[in-house]
């Protein structure tokens, strides 16, 4: 019988074909390579230390491991590939049985992160080391020509016209860096960082056709999006505004004029600005300041005795079918109560009318961007303007958390996978006319993740880890609490153990003598402890809140979908370690690639 068939066969000599998992681990600046070998699933009894032998064959990059298990006559023989590092052949091989796993230690001539090691062992078979995540490396690759963006999950194109002008966006924490630099060299530059950031925002806000690149995302104008994404933004805005109109009918009085077939709604000034948008269909990109004139399109703005601005808006009850025959319902004039639930504000009229409008007028963003920038300057304070203009919802630090706006998730129109987000005020329209497409969900070339895709190395875990290490270095904190950006509830508790680790994991089978043992390639990673509080009780939530306060953990806010993706990565990587090593103080040992 062929070896491959023997591996897959569940019956017969199944005990002799048991699967074992191995994990190689190396830490920075330590000339030591550690191996964990353990069965999956775990054995009911501990692995005895008798008859444990290890034979290192460097010429074949192979480690032969053999030992006996209680109650089994034949010994276990495993062939485990050895990573391509500088192992000291003169040093003895240390091995021991540690309960549910076997541990082997090999001495190295040089640590795995030494430049000599990289030069001695270049990537095999045309492979390449992990692509760098530095913004400047991305800028060099993107400056060569026109760039289209694609969904990394389904390869759907996201941009209807290529991006020709891309510039680097400063960090949302740029102000602190600038103030520290100026304060260190000269004391006469008070508030220099704030002035620089304000000037940058003022400059790029009027640069139509300019896309901005930062560590986690590329920020593009909505005018560049494909029609299905434009329609999604329009539908989201209309749905949100329609809820506001519906709620307004129950907030204050609704009087009906039987002779005209109209009703009068008294709503707040903020709601009036949204509702007028329905009376006269706007461009989906426009978001003007709050209505302040005394009259707007024939609708009167009044101020009651309490000083609250109210607007009376006439809404015709005698709706008729639109050209698309999909968004309105005929309403019975004899009905005394207005049934607003019959109106579907987000269907094909949204996709047809508004998407067509966006596609047919690409120059529209020029004047609209200037209007938006004026609103930013006159209606928002500096911190809010900075957070909206320079921020991204991939990770939000507690110091940059504001309640004056919200981040809205953007999904692929073809496969509904996440793409990014955009900031929103008052409605779900982008507050600055731009959306943030996360690099971990976006590609710059087909095939996605191919050799010419600039964002091929940007995965969810790698982008998160690099930001986590940046925060840990800046704040000198190795404890992190990740909260849901919307609910503010704690979801992930993290403790960083090693910021520079190299790991390689794989599987092998008992008594596998066919000679094919594969390769083990060490990947740069971080080791950490984590706890998942997504379904925790209130008592457990209080405990982790106290932990965060006691140890002054760094609090980061992320959208729920990204947190779920990280939790999945952590849970999967936890299987790379033995059960006896995977729990410490109630937390699980895991790793993420960096």
């Amino acid at each position: 019988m062929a070896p491959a068939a023997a591996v897959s066969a569940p019956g017969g000599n199944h005990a002799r074909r048991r699967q074992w998992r191995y994990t190689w681990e190396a830490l920075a600046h330590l000339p030591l390579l550690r191996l964990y070998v353990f069965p999956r699933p775990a054995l009911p009894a501990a692995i005895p230390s008798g008859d444990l032998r290890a034979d290192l064959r460097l010429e074949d990059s192979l480690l032969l491991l053999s030992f006996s298990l209680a109650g089994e006559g034949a010994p276990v023989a495993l062939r485990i590939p050895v990573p391509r590092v500088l192992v000291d052949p003169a040093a003895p091989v240390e091995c021991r049985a540690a309960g549910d796993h076997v541990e082997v230690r090999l001495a190295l001539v040089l640590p795995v992160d030494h430049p000599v090691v990289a030069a001695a062992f270049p990537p095999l078979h045309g492979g390449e080391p992990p692509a760098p995540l530095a913004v400047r490396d991305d800028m060099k690759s993107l400056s060569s020509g026109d760039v289209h963006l694609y969904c990394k999950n389904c390869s759907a194109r996201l941009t209807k016209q290529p991006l020709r002008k891309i510039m680097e966006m400063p960090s949302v924490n740029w102000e602190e860096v600038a103030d520290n630099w100026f304060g260190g060299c000269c004391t006469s530059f008070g508030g220099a960082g704030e002035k620089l950031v304000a000037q940058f925002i003022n400059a790029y806000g009027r640069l139509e056709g300019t896309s901005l690149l930062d560590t986690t995302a590329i920020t593009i104008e909505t005018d560049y999006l494909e029609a299905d994404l434009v329609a999604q933004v329009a539908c989201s805005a209309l749905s949100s505004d329609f809820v506001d109109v519906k709620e307004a009918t129950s907030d204050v009085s609704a009087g009906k004029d039987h002779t005209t077939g109209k009703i009068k709604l008294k709503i707040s000034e903020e709601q009036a600005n949204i509702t007028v948008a329905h009376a006269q269909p706007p461009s989906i990109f426009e978001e003007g300041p709050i209505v302040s004139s005394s009259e707007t399109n024939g609708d009167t703005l009044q101020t009651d005795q309490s000083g609250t601005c109210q607007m009376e808006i006439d809404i015709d009850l005698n709706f008729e079918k639109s050209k698309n025959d999909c968004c309105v319902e005929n309403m019975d004039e004899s009905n005394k109560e207005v049934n607003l639930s019959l109106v579907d504000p987000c269907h094909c009229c949204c996709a047809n009318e508004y998407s067509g409008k966006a596609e047919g007028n690409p120059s529209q963003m020029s004047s609209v961007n200037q209007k938006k920038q004026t609103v930013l300057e006159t209606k928002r304070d500096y911190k809010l303007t900075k957070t909206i203009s320079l921020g991204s919802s991939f990770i939000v630090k507690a110091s940059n958390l504001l309640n004056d706006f919200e981040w809205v998730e953007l999904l692929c129109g073809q496969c509904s996978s996440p793409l990014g987000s955009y900031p929103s005020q008052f409605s779900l329209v982008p507050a600055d006319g731009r959306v943030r497409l996360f690099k971990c969900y976006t590609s710059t070339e087909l095939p996605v993740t191919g050799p010419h895709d600039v964002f091929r190395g940007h995965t969810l875990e790698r982008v998160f880890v690099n930001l986590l290490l940046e925060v840990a270095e800046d704040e000198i904190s190795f404890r992190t609490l990740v909260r849901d950006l919307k609910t503010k509830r704690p979801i992930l508790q993290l403790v960083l153990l090693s910021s520079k680790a190299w790991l390689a994991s794989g599987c092998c089978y008992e008594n596998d003598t066919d000679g094919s043992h594969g390769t083990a390639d060490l990947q740069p990673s971080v080791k950490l402890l984590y706890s998942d509080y997504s379904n925790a009780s209130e008592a457990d939530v209080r405990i982790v809140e106290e932990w965060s306060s006691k140890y002054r953990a760094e609090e980061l806010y992320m959208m729920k979908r990204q947190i779920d993706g990280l939790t999945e990565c952590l849970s999967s990587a936890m299987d790379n370690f033995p059960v006896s090593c995977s729990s410490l103080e109630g937390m699980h040992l895991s790793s993420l690639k960096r």
Side-chain angles (χ1 to χ4, degrees):
M1 182 171 58
V7 170
S8 59
N13 198 18
H14 177 63
R16 303 288 298 276
R17 304 296 299 169
R18 186 166 35 218
Q19 185 185 74
W20 290 72
R21 192 163 189 86
Y22 63 84
T23 295
W24 290 99
E25 174 190 278
L27 303 179
H29 312 305
L30 289 179
L32 180 68
L33 187 64
R34 181 184 284 110
L35 170 67
Y36 301 97
V37 182
F38 50 98
R40 284 296 188 204
L43 296 174
I47 299 175
S49 58
D51 299 329
L52 182 59
R53 295 183 180 86
D55 182 15
L56 180 62
R57 298 183 181 180
L58 290 178
E59 65 278 6
D60 298 325
S61 295
L62 189 65
L63 178 70
L64 301 181
L65 193 64
S66 63
F67 50 89
S68 299
L69 295 177
E72 296 186 10
V76 174
L78 301 175
R79 299 164 58 91
I80 302 171
V82 178
R84 300 169 70 240
V85 292
L86 292 178
V87 178
D88 187 355
V93 177
E94 301 179 16
C95 58
R96 68 183 184 93
D100 63 344
H101 67 281
V102 175
E103 182 176 332
V104 180
R105 294 187 179 189
L106 302 179
L108 301 179
V109 177
L110 292 171
V112 295
D113 58 340
H114 197 282
V116 172
V117 178
F121 300 103
L124 293 174
H125 311 300
E128 61 178 10
L133 303 185
V135 177
R136 292 187 178 181
D137 291 330
D138 294 343
M139 286 294 301
K140 292 178 182 178
S141 302
L142 294 174
S143 61
S144 57
D146 297 346
V147 177
H148 271 294
L149 298 178
Y150 304 87
C151 172
K152 196 171 285 187
N153 184 61
C154 69
S155 301
R157 199 172 76 176
L158 307 177
T159 50
K160 65 182 179 184
Q161 52 184 316
L163 309 178
R164 294 185 172 89
K165 187 176 182 181
I166 301 174
M167 64 181 297
E168 182 178 349
M169 178 192 289
S171 167
V172 73
N173 303 313
W174 183 37
E175 178 187 344
E176 301 173 11
V177 177
D179 282 340
N180 291 337
W181 187 86
F182 280 112
C185 68
C186 182
T187 59
S188 62
F189 288 89
E194 179 175 333
K195 294 176 184 177
L196 286 174
V197 174
Q199 289 176 5
F200 178 85
I201 295 173
N202 188 51
Y204 94 74
R206 291 184 171 87
L207 293 178
E208 288 76 24
T210 299
S211 302
L212 303 167
L213 191 72
D214 64 11
T215 306
T216 63
I218 180 170
T219 300
I220 68 172
E221 296 169 338
T222 48
D223 197 35
Y224 282 80
L225 294 176
E226 280 285 6
D228 54 351
L229 295 179
V230 173
Q232 180 187 151
V233 175
C235 288
S236 299
L238 290 176
S239 299
S240 173
D241 296 349
F242 182 75
V243 172
D244 293 332
V245 175
K246 187 175 180 180
E247 291 176 349
T249 62
S250 60
D251 289 343
V252 284
S253 60
K256 180 177 179 182
D257 187 344
H258 292 279
T259 60
T260 61
K262 297 180 179 179
I263 63 172
K264 293 182 179 180
L265 301 179
K266 289 184 178 181
I267 60 179
S268 66
E269 182 180 1
E270 179 179 322
Q271 292 168 327
N273 184 46
I274 297 171
T275 310
V276 170
H278 288 284
Q280 184 177 358
S283 164
I284 63 169
F285 306 116
E286 293 181 358
E287 181 188 329
I290 299 175
V291 178
S292 58
S293 60
S294 59
E295 289 191 5
T296 305
N297 295 333
D299 302 317
T300 60
L301 182 66
Q302 301 178 352
T303 305
D304 59 13
Q305 296 178 355
S306 63
T308 302
C309 291
Q310 297 180 341
M311 178 176 284
E312 293 186 1
I313 301 175
D314 293 338
I315 300 179
D316 195 348
L317 295 181
N318 296 318
F319 293 104
E320 294 181 359
K321 291 289 182 180
S322 66
K323 293 181 181 180
N324 296 312
D325 197 26
C326 62
C327 285
V328 294
E329 294 285 342
N330 289 327
M331 301 182 68
D332 187 0
E333 188 177 2
S334 62
N335 246 348
K336 293 185 178 181
E337 294 186 3
V338 181
N339 187 4
L340 293 177
S341 64
L342 293 176
V343 184
D344 180 7
C346 182
H347 196 46
C348 60
C349 72
C350 190
N352 296 336
E353 178 181 356
Y354 292 102
S355 300
K357 187 170 183 178
E359 266 188 330
N361 192 8
S363 63
Q364 188 175 13
M365 281 300 296
S366 178
S367 60
V368 173
N369 266 358
Q370 295 182 12
K371 180 187 294 185
K372 287 181 176 300
Q373 186 63 23
T374 302
V375 173
L376 286 174
E377 294 171 351
T378 59
K379 295 295 183 181
R380 298 168 181 158
D381 60 24
Y382 167 73
K383 185 174 182 180
L384 178 59
T385 302
K386 183 189 74 168
T387 306
I388 287 179
S389 300
L390 304 184
S392 168
S393 68
F394 189 88
I395 284 184
V396 180
K397 296 177 64 174
S399 58
N400 296 322
L401 190 66
L402 296 176
N403 295 324
D404 301 277
F405 73 98
E406 65 175 332
W407 289 99
V408 181
E409 188 176 42
L410 186 67
L411 304 179
C412 176
Q414 301 296 324
C415 63
S416 298
S417 63
L419 293 177
S421 64
Y422 56 87
S424 168
Q425 273 190 298
F426 306 125
S427 65
L428 298 185
V429 175
D432 60 350
R434 289 177 165 94
V435 297
R436 284 76 173 154
L437 299 178
F438 296 157
K439 295 178 181 179
C440 58
Y441 301 135
T442 310
S443 292
T444 63
E445 194 73 46
L446 294 178
V448 297
T449 68
H452 302 293
D453 180 8
V454 179
F455 299 156
R456 64 188 179 280
H458 292 74
T459 62
L460 175 64
E461 58 179 318
R462 288 193 69 203
V463 174
F464 172 78
V465 165
N466 278 267
L467 289 174
L468 181 67
L469 295 178
E470 180 181 316
V471 171
E473 182 178 354
D474 292 342
E475 306 296 335
I476 318 179
S477 173
F478 302 98
R479 297 179 177 88
T480 304
L481 189 62
V482 180
R483 295 180 180 270
D484 188 319
L485 183 58
K486 185 175 182 179
T487 65
K488 309 301 186 289
R489 182 182 177 90
I491 304 295
L492 275 180
Q493 179 189 21
L494 303 175
V495 176
L496 188 62
L497 297 179
S498 176
S499 61
K500 291 185 178 180
W502 281 260
L503 300 173
S505 296
C507 294
C508 58
Y509 294 87
E510 294 181 11
N511 307 314
D512 192 0
T513 59
D514 62 356
S516 60
H517 53 271
T519 59
D521 297 320
L522 292 173
Q523 299 294 324
S525 309
V526 297
K527 287 182 65 178
L528 41 75
L529 299 172
Y530 86 98
S531 290
D532 180 10
Y533 284 86
S534 56
N535 297 315
S537 63
E538 292 302 322
D540 291 334
V541 170
R542 284 193 296 270
I543 291 175
V544 74
E545 294 278 14
E546 293 174 358
W547 173 86
S548 177
S549 177
K550 178 180 178 181
Y551 294 104
R552 297 182 180 180
E554 181 68 20
E555 296 191 350
L556 304 178
Y557 295 80
M558 301 179 67
M559 302 185 81
K560 186 62 165 61
R561 199 182 297 261
Q562 279 72 60
I563 298 178
D564 290 342
L566 284 176
T567 304
E568 184 177 346
C569 292
L570 289 166
S571 177
S572 176
M574 189 176 66
D575 294 336
N576 295 333
F577 298 96
V579 175
S580 61
C581 300
S582 61
S583 181
L584 180 63
E585 296 182 357
M587 303 181 71
H588 304 291
L589 177 65
S590 187
S591 65
L592 292 173
K593 294 181 181 179
R594 57 177 170 86

